[in-house]
Amino acid sequence: KQWYQRRVRAISKEYHVRDEGLQKLSLEIGAAIKLRVLLPCVTSAIETIITSTDHDLRAVTDMLTKTIETNVTHDIKSQVGTITTIFVKLLSYRDTATGFNDAIEDEVIECFVGLVYKLTEKEFLPLLVTLLEWSEGSLDRSTAFYNLAAQLSQKLQGLFLLFGGSVYVSLVEVLQNCKPTDTSPEFGNKRPKLELGSELCKFALQTLYNMLRYDTTHAFTTADRFETLLPALLDLITLPDITHLTPALAQLPVAANSDRLWKQFNFQLLNLSKSPLPKVRENVVTVYKEFVMKLGQDYSILLPDTLPFLAELLEDSDSNVEEKTHQIVKAIEDITGESMDQYL
């Protein structure tokens, strides 16, 4: 066992040069050594590798990816406890590494996705819950977890919703903590509680968007969840960058699939266009255009309630807001097949 531990550490020390021979050796070790022998060695070596600038964690992720790929499902299931410990350590990379590298965390996540494909729903759920509990109370750990959740929800698509209820409460809490609370010239001095640039809010929004867009049966996006998510997302409309907010917020009413909830969303979003801040009004029309495009032919029932807001926005003092409102009008005309000139 100690010999294997030394070999893992030795390979990781030279792995940063991405030598083909070392990569081949790492894969051969992953394929040849029995899981029950390799995993304890990897577990012992990880901490040294993560905290040292001389070692490359990809030596471990390549080994693990290969051993997960080549071992039979029964052997993997018998080692789930040890594997859970390993991935808790690997996902601690963001929290403990001397120099963080996005690409290495992505490789850890890619390795984890390979493991998930070998597990049943009953076997995977406790692992996911363990990682969620581990992540709570730490910005770095939460960021790593939601990077994992964002990529898992993209890969698993509708299957991820089987575990959506386990993640939902934490996800809402993260989004609520992204809410701006202070003051800045451009946004009434508003800065997020959690720096949006810290990536946590970005990954949380990506996770939510994936959950909403793959909710094709509308079973996950219940009326109660809609009522909770809508204010949390609308509070983020004042953020300087809404790149990741836009698709998630626009998808929420579509996933809810209810005339009543569409109307509620329509009014509450457009009501924010009365903000005295031009950037907030621009954000509103950006999201609204996305919403109109996603709703498509179903949008017509919202038109009577929307016209007063559009008429006002077409005369907005900010040129960006006015231009984007014209784009909305054009999108509505394309959907309804009639000119809006008679109404505006």
Side-chain angles (χ1 to χ4, degrees):
K1 177 180 175 182
Q2 290 180 349
W3 185 88
Y4 284 130
Q5 288 176 16
R6 289 195 295 270
R7 296 287 74 74
V8 172
R9 292 192 185 101
I11 292 170
S12 70
K13 190 168 185 178
E14 301 298 329
Y15 213 72
H16 63 280
V17 299
R18 304 305 274 172
D19 178 81
E20 287 186 11
L22 284 177
Q23 292 180 51
K24 184 179 178 182
L25 178 59
S26 181
L27 295 174
E28 287 176 350
I29 289 174
I33 301 176
K34 290 187 179 297
L35 205 61
R36 59 182 174 77
V37 176
L38 180 63
L39 292 183
C41 300
V42 169
T43 304
S44 301
I46 285 175
E47 203 161 318
T48 300
I49 295 171
I50 286 180
T51 55
S52 171
T53 55
D54 297 329
H55 294 261
D56 193 326
L57 196 60
R58 284 172 287 194
V60 173
T61 58
D62 284 352
M63 279 183 205
L64 280 175
T65 298
K66 192 63 178 179
T67 197
I68 288 169
E69 177 187 314
T70 56
N71 274 270
V72 297
T73 302
H74 172 74
D75 290 341
I76 292 173
K77 290 178 180 179
S78 69
Q79 298 291 328
V80 165
T82 305
I83 291 172
T84 300
T85 301
I86 288 174
F87 275 103
V88 165
K89 288 177 178 288
L90 288 174
L91 287 168
S92 296
Y93 168 69
R94 180 184 287 266
D95 191 29
T96 57
T98 304
F100 177 72
N101 183 333
D102 286 325
I104 292 179
E105 184 172 270
D106 286 340
E107 288 204 24
V108 170
I109 292 171
E110 185 177 348
C111 179
F112 186 84
V113 171
L115 169 66
V116 172
Y117 288 142
K118 294 273 185 132
L119 302 176
T120 65
E121 175 190 347
K122 186 177 179 181
E123 291 156 346
F124 172 59
L125 182 57
L127 174 54
L128 183 68
V129 171
T130 297
L131 292 175
L132 177 58
E133 291 173 348
W134 159 82
S135 73
E136 291 172 349
S138 165
L139 178 59
D140 282 334
R141 290 182 180 185
S142 292
T143 303
F145 176 81
Y146 277 102
N147 188 11
L148 171 67
Q151 295 193 45
L152 264 180
S153 56
Q154 171 64 38
K155 302 270 188 183
L156 298 181
Q157 300 186 9
L159 290 176
F160 187 79
L161 294 174
L162 295 172
F163 319 105
S166 301
V167 177
Y168 172 73
V169 173
S170 168
L171 181 59
V172 170
E173 185 177 346
V174 168
L175 295 173
Q176 290 172 338
N177 281 332
C178 290
K179 179 169 120 179
T181 50
D182 296 325
T183 41
S184 86
E186 193 177 2
F187 279 87
N189 246 335
K190 293 192 173 178
R191 288 281 182 265
K193 284 182 185 175
L194 298 175
E195 287 290 328
L196 200 64
S198 71
E199 297 186 300
L200 175 56
C201 295
K202 177 184 81 172
F203 292 140
L205 286 167
Q206 287 176 339
T207 301
L208 177 61
Y209 172 58
N210 289 335
M211 293 168 76
L212 294 173
R213 70 171 169 154
Y214 293 123
D215 184 20
T216 54
T217 64
H218 312 292
F220 175 78
T221 317
T222 62
D224 286 344
R225 284 177 174 161
F226 176 91
E227 299 280 0
T228 301
L229 286 166
L230 181 57
L233 294 176
L234 289 178
D235 278 342
L236 303 183
I237 204 74
T238 58
L239 291 172
D241 183 357
I242 60 165
T243 302
H244 301 286
L245 171 65
T246 299
L249 182 50
Q251 189 68 36
L252 177 62
V254 178
N257 196 37
S258 159
D259 293 9
R260 178 181 69 83
L261 298 179
W262 293 344
K263 290 181 179 181
Q264 180 180 339
F265 174 89
N266 196 63
F267 175 76
Q268 291 191 24
L269 176 61
L270 288 174
N271 202 41
L272 293 175
S273 67
K274 298 184 180 297
S275 169
L277 301 171
K279 184 59 178 173
V280 173
R281 300 197 301 275
E282 183 181 350
N283 286 351
V284 169
V285 293
T286 297
V287 173
Y288 196 76
K289 180 187 175 185
E290 184 87 359
F291 166 60
V292 171
M293 299 295 289
K294 286 180 180 293
L295 206 56
Q297 294 298 324
D298 291 324
Y299 176 78
S300 299
I301 64 169
L302 301 176
L303 190 56
D305 296 333
T306 304
L307 291 173
F309 292 100
L310 291 180
E312 189 172 337
L313 288 166
L314 284 170
E315 298 180 358
D316 197 276
S317 58
D318 185 89
S319 59
N320 289 332
V321 175
E322 182 184 353
E323 180 183 347
K324 289 187 177 183
T325 305
H326 278 290
Q327 293 173 9
I328 292 171
V329 171
K330 176 65 168 59
I332 294 172
E333 289 177 335
D334 289 343
I335 289 169
T336 61
E338 61 177 314
S339 171
M340 291 293 104
D341 290 347
Q342 58 184 314
Y343 304 116
L344 299 170

